[in-house]
Amino acid sequence: MSPAEETVRVLAQAALDKRAEGLVVLDLQGLSGVADYFLVCTARSVTQLDTVADALYAALKARGLRLRHREGTAASGWLLLDAGDVVAHVFLEDTRAFYALERLWGDAPVLSMGAGGGIGGSFD
C-alpha cells in the first residue's frame, strides 16, 4: 500500500468517526496531476462540517504530515484540505450536489475501503 493510500484510509476513518456521510474515495492516479486521491464526504450541519475537517487535520498531524492548504469555510458549505497526494472535500449536502465531484471525476475508480465494501464501510 502506498503512503498516499495509507493516508487516505486514515482520513476516511477519521471522517467516519465524526459521522460523515456518503464517503467516497476517488483514485485519481494516472488521471490527474493534482492528487492521487480525493476523499469526498458530507456533513449534516455547519458545525459537523467544521468537526469533520478538524478531525482530518488532527489525523494528518498525528501521522506527521502537514496540511499544504485549507480552503473554504463551513458557512460556505465546502471545506477543502490539501495534503499533497490526498485532497479531502467536506461538503454540506446541497453544496455537494451542486459541485458533483463524483460526476466530474466519473472516470476515476472508487477505492474500496475494506471489509465493509466501500462507502461508509469498515476499514482494514
Side-chain angles (χ1 to χ4, degrees), residues 25-29 31 102 104-111:
V25 175
L26 301 174
D27 184 346
L28 302 178
Q29 297 176 88
L31 298 174
E102 294 95 332
L104 181 65
W105 291 98
D107 51 345
V110 175
L111 182 68

Side-chain angles (χ1 to χ4, degrees), residues 11 14-15 18 20 39 41-43 45-61 67 70-74 78-81 88-91:
L11 293 181
K18 296 302 178 186
L39 181 148
C41 64
T42 302
S45 68
V46 170
T47 302
Q48 186 190 22
L49 198 152
D50 266 334
T51 299
V52 171
D54 289 347
L56 296 176
Y57 176 74
L60 285 171
K61 190 173 179 181
L67 188 63
R70 180 177 173 148
E71 189 171 318
T73 64
W78 183 7
L79 279 171
L80 177 146
L81 291 93
H89 302 268
V90 186
F91 288 101

